[in-house]
């Protein structure tokens, strides 16, 4: 049993393919990300909205209930730049890869990547 567990830790999973779960989550993320970026463009295009936006974020980011309105109609991502969008994309991709891996492998001996 010990040998099997050690071998599983160091061997590849050759027949692993993206599951329906992965595809659905990925599609939902792509849609959500595009929606947020479009809302950011709309927000920045509004002249009055620019005056309302401040560079300051809420004191406690975990207290934000709606990322689309952190107060005064300002979205949390109002001041995101390309690097911010790239980081949030990378963070989600890594999260989804490790989450989907456990479901796709479906092996209790392989608890993660």
């Amino acid at each position: 049993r010990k040998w099997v567990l050690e071998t599983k830790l160091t061997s590849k999973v050759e027949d692993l393919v993206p599951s329906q779960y992965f595809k659905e989550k990925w599609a939902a993320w792509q849609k959500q990300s595009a929606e947020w970026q479009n809302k950011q463009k709309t927000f920045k295009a509004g002249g009055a909205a620019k005056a309302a936006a401040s560079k300051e974020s809420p004191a406690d980011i975990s207290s934000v209930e709606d990322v689309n309105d952190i107060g005064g109609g300002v979205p949390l991502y109002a001041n995101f730049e390309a690097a911010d969008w790239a980081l949030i994309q990378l963070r989600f991709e890594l999260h989804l890869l490790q989450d989907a891996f456990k479901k796709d492998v479906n092996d209790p001996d392989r608890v993660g990547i």
Side-chain angles (χ1 to χ4, degrees), residues 32-97:
Q32 182 68 62
S33 178
E35 182 181 310
W36 284 346
Q37 289 181 31
N38 288 334
K39 286 183 179 182
Q40 180 194 35
K41 289 176 187 173
T42 303
F43 178 79
K44 285 187 172 186
K50 277 188 176 180
S54 68
K55 291 279 183 187
E56 295 180 29
S57 296
D60 183 16
I61 198 76
S62 61
S63 67
V64 173
E65 293 182 20
D66 182 9
V67 296
N68 293 313
D69 185 5
I70 60 172
V74 179
L76 180 65
Y77 45 84
N79 298 312
F80 273 22
E81 295 177 8
D84 299 311
W85 290 114
L87 285 172
I88 197 168
Q89 178 76 22
L90 178 63
R91 184 178 175 123
F92 180 80
E93 288 173 0
L94 291 173
H95 167 74
L96 182 59
L97 282 173

Coordinates of all heavy atoms in Angstrom, one line a residue, residues 32-97:
Q32 N -18.0 36.2 -16.8 CA -18.0 37.1 -15.7 C -16.9 38.2 -15.9 O -17.1 39.3 -15.6 CB -17.8 36.4 -14.4 CG -17.8 37.2 -13.1 CD -19.1 37.8 -12.9 OE1 -20.1 37.1 -12.7 NE2 -19.3 39.1 -12.9
S33 N -15.7 37.7 -16.3 CA -14.6 38.6 -16.5 C -14.9 39.6 -17.6 O -14.6 40.8 -17.4 CB -13.3 37.8 -16.8 OG -12.2 38.6 -17.1
A34 N -15.4 39.2 -18.7 CA -15.8 40.1 -19.7 C -16.8 41.1 -19.3 O -16.7 42.3 -19.6 CB -16.2 39.3 -21.0
E35 N -17.8 40.6 -18.5 CA -18.8 41.5 -18.0 C -18.2 42.6 -17.1 O -18.6 43.8 -17.2 CB -19.9 40.7 -17.2 CG -21.0 41.4 -16.7 CD -22.0 40.5 -15.9 OE1 -22.4 39.5 -16.5 OE2 -22.3 40.9 -14.8
W36 N -17.3 42.2 -16.2 CA -16.7 43.2 -15.3 C -15.9 44.2 -16.1 O -15.9 45.4 -15.8 CB -15.8 42.5 -14.3 CG -16.6 41.8 -13.2 CD1 -17.9 42.0 -12.8 CD2 -16.0 40.9 -12.3 NE1 -18.2 41.2 -11.8 CE2 -17.1 40.5 -11.4 CE3 -14.8 40.3 -12.1 CZ2 -16.9 39.6 -10.4 CZ3 -14.6 39.4 -11.1 CH2 -15.7 39.0 -10.2
Q37 N -15.2 43.7 -17.1 CA -14.3 44.7 -17.9 C -15.2 45.6 -18.7 O -14.9 46.8 -18.8 CB -13.4 43.9 -18.8 CG -12.3 43.2 -18.0 CD -11.3 42.4 -18.9 OE1 -11.0 42.8 -20.0 NE2 -10.8 41.4 -18.3
N38 N -16.3 45.1 -19.2 CA -17.3 46.0 -19.9 C -17.9 47.0 -18.9 O -18.1 48.2 -19.3 CB -18.4 45.2 -20.6 CG -17.9 44.5 -21.8 OD1 -16.9 44.9 -22.4 ND2 -18.5 43.4 -22.2
K39 N -18.2 46.6 -17.7 CA -18.8 47.5 -16.7 C -17.7 48.6 -16.3 O -18.1 49.7 -16.1 CB -19.3 46.8 -15.5 CG -20.6 46.0 -15.7 CD -21.0 45.3 -14.4 CE -22.4 44.6 -14.7 NZ -22.8 44.0 -13.5
Q40 N -16.5 48.2 -16.3 CA -15.4 49.1 -16.0 C -15.3 50.2 -17.1 O -15.2 51.4 -16.8 CB -14.1 48.4 -15.8 CG -13.0 49.4 -15.5 CD -11.6 48.8 -15.6 OE1 -11.4 48.0 -16.5 NE2 -10.7 49.2 -14.8
K41 N -15.4 49.7 -18.3 CA -15.3 50.7 -19.4 C -16.5 51.6 -19.4 O -16.3 52.8 -19.6 CB -15.3 49.9 -20.8 CG -13.9 49.2 -21.0 CD -14.0 48.4 -22.3 CE -12.7 47.6 -22.4 NZ -12.8 46.6 -23.5
T42 N -17.7 51.1 -19.1 CA -18.9 51.9 -19.1 C -18.7 52.9 -17.9 O -19.1 54.1 -18.1 CB -20.1 51.1 -18.8 OG1 -20.2 50.1 -19.9 CG2 -21.4 51.9 -18.8
F43 N -18.2 52.5 -16.8 CA -18.1 53.3 -15.6 C -17.1 54.5 -15.9 O -17.3 55.6 -15.6 CB -17.6 52.5 -14.4 CG -17.3 53.4 -13.2 CD1 -18.4 53.8 -12.4 CD2 -16.0 53.7 -12.9 CE1 -18.2 54.6 -11.3 CE2 -15.8 54.5 -11.7 CZ -16.9 54.9 -11.0
K44 N -16.0 54.1 -16.6 CA -14.9 55.1 -16.9 C -15.4 56.1 -17.9 O -15.0 57.3 -18.0 CB -13.6 54.4 -17.3 CG -12.9 53.9 -16.2 CD -11.5 53.3 -16.6 CE -10.7 52.9 -15.4 NZ -9.3 52.6 -15.8
A45 N -16.3 55.6 -18.8 CA -16.8 56.5 -19.9 C -17.8 57.5 -19.4 O -17.9 58.6 -20.0 CB -17.5 55.6 -21.0
G46 N -18.4 57.3 -18.2 CA -19.4 58.2 -17.6 C -18.6 59.3 -17.0 O -17.8 59.1 -16.0
G47 N -18.8 60.6 -17.4 CA -18.0 61.7 -16.9 C -18.3 61.9 -15.4 O -17.4 62.2 -14.6
A48 N -19.6 61.8 -15.0 CA -19.9 62.1 -13.6 C -19.4 60.9 -12.7 O -19.0 61.2 -11.6 CB -21.4 62.2 -13.4
A49 N -19.3 59.8 -13.3 CA -18.9 58.6 -12.5 C -17.4 58.8 -12.2 O -16.9 58.4 -11.2 CB -19.1 57.3 -13.3
K50 N -16.6 59.4 -13.1 CA -15.2 59.6 -12.9 C -15.0 60.5 -11.6 O -14.1 60.2 -10.9 CB -14.5 60.3 -14.1 CG -14.2 59.3 -15.2 CD -13.3 60.0 -16.2 CE -12.9 59.0 -17.3 NZ -12.1 59.7 -18.3
A51 N -15.8 61.5 -11.5 CA -15.6 62.3 -10.3 C -16.0 61.6 -9.0 O -15.3 61.9 -8.0 CB -16.5 63.5 -10.5
A52 N -16.9 60.7 -9.1 CA -17.3 59.9 -7.9 C -16.2 58.9 -7.5 O -16.1 58.5 -6.3 CB -18.6 59.2 -8.1
A53 N -15.5 58.4 -8.5 CA -14.5 57.3 -8.2 C -13.3 57.9 -7.4 O -12.9 59.0 -7.7 CB -14.0 56.7 -9.5
S54 N -12.9 57.1 -6.5 CA -11.7 57.5 -5.8 C -10.7 56.4 -5.8 O -11.0 55.3 -6.1 CB -12.0 57.9 -4.3 OG -12.4 56.7 -3.6
K55 N -9.4 56.7 -5.6 CA -8.4 55.7 -5.7 C -8.4 54.9 -4.4 O -7.7 53.8 -4.4 CB -7.0 56.4 -5.8 CG -6.8 57.0 -7.2 CD -6.4 56.0 -8.2 CE -6.1 56.6 -9.5 NZ -5.8 55.7 -10.5
E56 N -9.2 55.3 -3.4 CA -9.2 54.5 -2.2 C -10.1 53.4 -2.3 O -11.2 53.5 -2.8 CB -9.6 55.4 -1.0 CG -8.6 56.5 -0.8 CD -9.0 57.4 0.4 OE1 -9.7 56.9 1.3 OE2 -8.7 58.6 0.4
S57 N -9.7 52.2 -1.7 CA -10.5 51.1 -1.6 C -11.2 51.0 -0.2 O -10.7 51.8 0.6 CB -9.7 49.8 -1.8 OG -9.2 49.7 -3.1
P58 N -12.2 50.2 0.0 CA -12.7 50.1 1.3 C -11.6 49.7 2.3 O -10.7 49.0 1.9 CB -13.8 49.0 1.2 CG -14.0 48.7 -0.2 CD -12.8 49.3 -1.0
A59 N -11.8 50.1 3.6 CA -10.7 49.7 4.6 C -10.6 48.2 4.7 O -9.4 47.8 4.8 CB -11.1 50.3 5.9
D60 N -11.6 47.5 4.6 CA -11.6 46.0 4.7 C -12.2 45.4 3.5 O -13.4 45.5 3.3 CB -12.3 45.5 6.0 CG -12.2 44.0 6.2 OD1 -11.3 43.4 5.5 OD2 -13.0 43.5 7.0
I61 N -11.4 44.9 2.6 CA -11.9 44.4 1.3 C -12.8 43.2 1.5 O -13.7 43.0 0.7 CB -10.7 44.1 0.4 CG1 -11.1 44.0 -1.1 CG2 -10.0 42.8 0.8 CD1 -11.3 45.3 -1.7
S62 N -12.7 42.5 2.5 CA -13.5 41.3 2.8 C -14.9 41.8 3.2 O -15.9 40.9 3.2 CB -12.9 40.4 3.8 OG -12.8 41.0 5.0
S63 N -15.1 43.0 3.5 CA -16.4 43.5 4.0 C -17.3 43.9 2.8 O -18.5 44.2 2.9 CB -16.3 44.7 4.9 OG -15.8 45.8 4.2
V64 N -16.7 43.9 1.6 CA -17.5 44.3 0.4 C -18.5 43.2 0.0 O -18.1 42.0 -0.1 CB -16.5 44.5 -0.8 CG1 -17.3 44.7 -2.1 CG2 -15.6 45.7 -0.6
E65 N -19.7 43.6 -0.1 CA -20.8 42.6 -0.4 C -21.0 42.5 -1.9 O -21.5 41.4 -2.3 CB -22.1 43.0 0.4 CG -21.9 42.8 1.9 CD -23.2 43.1 2.6 OE1 -24.3 43.1 2.0 OE2 -23.1 43.4 3.8
D66 N -20.8 43.5 -2.6 CA -21.1 43.6 -4.0 C -19.9 44.2 -4.7 O -19.7 45.4 -4.6 CB -22.4 44.3 -4.3 CG -22.7 44.3 -5.8 OD1 -22.1 43.6 -6.6 OD2 -23.7 45.0 -6.2
V67 N -19.1 43.4 -5.5 CA -18.0 44.0 -6.2 C -18.4 45.0 -7.3 O -17.5 45.8 -7.7 CB -17.1 42.9 -6.9 CG1 -16.5 42.0 -5.8 CG2 -17.8 42.1 -7.9
N68 N -19.6 45.0 -7.7 CA -20.1 46.0 -8.6 C -20.4 47.4 -8.0 O -20.7 48.3 -8.7 CB -21.3 45.5 -9.4 CG -20.9 44.3 -10.3 OD1 -19.9 44.3 -11.0 ND2 -21.7 43.2 -10.2
D69 N -20.5 47.4 -6.7 CA -20.8 48.7 -6.0 C -20.2 48.6 -4.6 O -20.8 48.0 -3.7 CB -22.3 48.9 -5.9 CG -22.8 50.2 -5.3 OD1 -21.9 51.0 -5.0 OD2 -24.0 50.4 -5.2
I70 N -19.1 49.3 -4.4 CA -18.5 49.3 -3.1 C -18.9 50.6 -2.3 O -18.5 50.8 -1.2 CB -17.0 49.3 -3.2 CG1 -16.4 50.5 -4.0 CG2 -16.5 48.0 -3.7 CD1 -14.9 50.6 -3.9
G71 N -19.8 51.3 -2.9 CA -20.3 52.6 -2.3 C -20.4 53.7 -3.4 O -19.4 53.9 -4.1
G72 N -21.5 54.3 -3.5 CA -21.7 55.4 -4.4 C -21.7 54.9 -5.9 O -21.4 55.7 -6.8
G73 N -22.0 53.7 -6.1 CA -22.0 53.1 -7.5 C -20.7 52.9 -8.1 O -20.5 52.6 -9.3
V74 N -19.6 52.9 -7.3 CA -18.3 52.7 -7.7 C -18.0 51.2 -7.7 O -18.1 50.6 -6.6 CB -17.2 53.4 -6.9 CG1 -15.8 53.2 -7.3 CG2 -17.5 54.9 -6.9
P75 N -17.6 50.6 -8.8 CA -17.2 49.1 -8.7 C -15.8 49.0 -8.1 O -15.0 49.8 -8.2 CB -17.2 48.7 -10.2 CG -17.0 49.9 -11.0 CD -17.6 51.1 -10.1
L76 N -15.6 47.8 -7.5 CA -14.3 47.5 -6.8 C -13.2 47.6 -7.8 O -12.1 48.0 -7.5 CB -14.4 46.1 -6.2 CG -13.1 45.6 -5.5 CD1 -12.9 46.5 -4.3 CD2 -13.3 44.2 -5.1
Y77 N -13.5 47.2 -9.1 CA -12.5 47.1 -10.1 C -12.4 48.4 -11.0 O -11.9 48.4 -12.1 CB -12.8 45.9 -11.0 CG -14.2 45.8 -11.4 CD1 -14.8 46.5 -12.4 CD2 -15.1 45.0 -10.6 CE1 -16.1 46.5 -12.8 CE2 -16.4 44.9 -11.0 CZ -16.9 45.6 -12.0 OH -18.3 45.6 -12.3
A78 N -12.9 49.5 -10.5 CA -13.0 50.8 -11.2 C -11.6 51.2 -11.7 O -11.5 51.8 -12.8 CB -13.6 51.9 -10.4
N79 N -10.6 51.0 -10.9 CA -9.3 51.5 -11.2 C -8.3 50.4 -11.6 O -7.1 50.6 -11.6 CB -8.7 52.3 -10.0 CG -9.5 53.5 -9.7 OD1 -9.8 54.3 -10.6 ND2 -9.9 53.7 -8.4
F80 N -8.8 49.2 -12.0 CA -8.0 48.1 -12.4 C -7.3 48.5 -13.7 O -7.9 49.2 -14.6 CB -8.8 46.9 -12.7 CG -9.0 46.0 -11.5 CD1 -8.9 46.5 -10.2 CD2 -9.4 44.6 -11.6 CE1 -9.1 45.7 -9.1 CE2 -9.6 43.8 -10.5 CZ -9.5 44.3 -9.3
E81 N -6.1 48.1 -13.8 CA -5.3 48.2 -15.1 C -5.1 46.8 -15.6 O -5.5 45.8 -15.1 CB -4.0 49.0 -14.8 CG -4.3 50.4 -14.3 CD -3.0 51.1 -13.9 OE1 -1.9 50.6 -14.2 OE2 -3.1 52.2 -13.4
A82 N -4.4 46.8 -16.8 CA -4.1 45.5 -17.4 C -3.5 44.5 -16.5 O -3.8 43.3 -16.5 CB -3.3 45.7 -18.7
A83 N -2.5 44.9 -15.7 CA -1.8 44.0 -14.8 C -2.8 43.4 -13.8 O -2.6 42.3 -13.4 CB -0.7 44.7 -14.1
D84 N -3.7 44.2 -13.3 CA -4.7 43.8 -12.3 C -5.6 42.7 -12.9 O -5.9 41.7 -12.2 CB -5.5 44.9 -11.8 CG -4.7 46.0 -11.1 OD1 -3.8 45.6 -10.2 OD2 -4.8 47.2 -11.4
W85 N -6.0 42.9 -14.1 CA -6.9 41.9 -14.8 C -6.1 40.6 -15.0 O -6.6 39.5 -14.9 CB -7.4 42.5 -16.1 CG -8.5 43.5 -15.9 CD1 -8.4 44.8 -16.2 CD2 -9.8 43.4 -15.3 NE1 -9.5 45.5 -15.9 CE2 -10.4 44.6 -15.3 CE3 -10.5 42.3 -14.7 CZ2 -11.7 44.9 -14.7 CZ3 -11.7 42.5 -14.2 CH2 -12.3 43.8 -14.2
A86 N -4.8 40.8 -15.4 CA -4.0 39.6 -15.6 C -3.8 38.8 -14.3 O -3.8 37.6 -14.3 CB -2.6 40.0 -16.2
L87 N -3.6 39.5 -13.2 CA -3.4 38.8 -11.9 C -4.7 38.1 -11.5 O -4.6 37.0 -11.0 CB -2.9 39.8 -10.9 CG -1.5 40.2 -11.0 CD1 -1.2 41.4 -10.0 CD2 -0.6 39.1 -10.7
I88 N -5.8 38.7 -11.7 CA -7.0 38.1 -11.2 C -7.3 36.9 -12.2 O -7.8 35.8 -11.7 CB -8.2 39.0 -11.2 CG1 -9.4 38.4 -10.3 CG2 -8.7 39.4 -12.5 CD1 -10.4 39.4 -10.0
Q89 N -7.0 37.0 -13.4 CA -7.1 35.9 -14.4 C -6.3 34.7 -13.9 O -6.7 33.6 -13.9 CB -6.8 36.3 -15.8 CG -6.9 35.2 -16.8 CD -8.3 34.9 -17.2 OE1 -9.2 35.7 -17.1 NE2 -8.5 33.8 -17.8
L90 N -5.0 35.0 -13.6 CA -4.1 33.9 -13.2 C -4.5 33.3 -11.9 O -4.5 32.1 -11.8 CB -2.7 34.5 -13.0 CG -1.6 33.6 -12.5 CD1 -1.4 32.4 -13.6 CD2 -0.3 34.3 -12.3
R91 N -5.0 34.1 -11.0 CA -5.4 33.5 -9.7 C -6.6 32.6 -9.9 O -6.7 31.5 -9.3 CB -5.8 34.7 -8.8 CG -6.2 34.2 -7.4 CD -6.5 35.4 -6.5 NE -7.0 34.9 -5.2 CZ -6.5 35.2 -4.1 NH1 -5.5 35.9 -4.0 NH2 -7.0 34.7 -3.0
F92 N -7.5 33.0 -10.8 CA -8.7 32.1 -11.0 C -8.3 30.8 -11.7 O -8.7 29.7 -11.4 CB -9.8 32.8 -11.8 CG -10.9 31.9 -12.1 CD1 -11.9 31.7 -11.1 CD2 -11.1 31.2 -13.2 CE1 -12.9 30.8 -11.3 CE2 -12.1 30.3 -13.5 CZ -13.0 30.1 -12.5
E93 N -7.4 31.0 -12.7 CA -6.9 29.8 -13.5 C -6.3 28.8 -12.5 O -6.5 27.6 -12.6 CB -6.0 30.2 -14.6 CG -6.6 30.9 -15.7 CD -5.7 31.4 -16.7 OE1 -4.4 31.3 -16.6 OE2 -6.1 32.1 -17.7
L94 N -5.4 29.2 -11.6 CA -4.7 28.3 -10.7 C -5.7 27.7 -9.8 O -5.6 26.5 -9.4 CB -3.6 29.1 -9.9 CG -2.4 29.5 -10.8 CD1 -1.5 30.4 -9.9 CD2 -1.7 28.3 -11.3
H95 N -6.7 28.5 -9.3 CA -7.7 27.9 -8.4 C -8.5 26.8 -9.1 O -8.7 25.8 -8.6 CB -8.6 29.0 -7.9 CG -9.9 28.5 -7.2 ND1 -9.8 27.9 -6.0 CD2 -11.1 28.4 -7.7 CE1 -11.1 27.5 -5.7 NE2 -11.9 27.8 -6.7
L96 N -8.9 27.1 -10.3 CA -9.7 26.2 -11.1 C -9.0 24.9 -11.4 O -9.5 23.8 -11.3 CB -10.3 26.8 -12.4 CG -11.2 25.9 -13.2 CD1 -12.4 25.5 -12.4 CD2 -11.6 26.7 -14.5
L97 N -7.7 25.1 -11.8 CA -6.9 23.9 -12.1 C -6.8 22.9 -10.9 O -7.0 21.7 -11.0 CB -5.5 24.3 -12.5 CG -5.4 24.8 -13.9 CD1 -4.0 25.3 -14.2 CD2 -5.7 23.7 -14.9

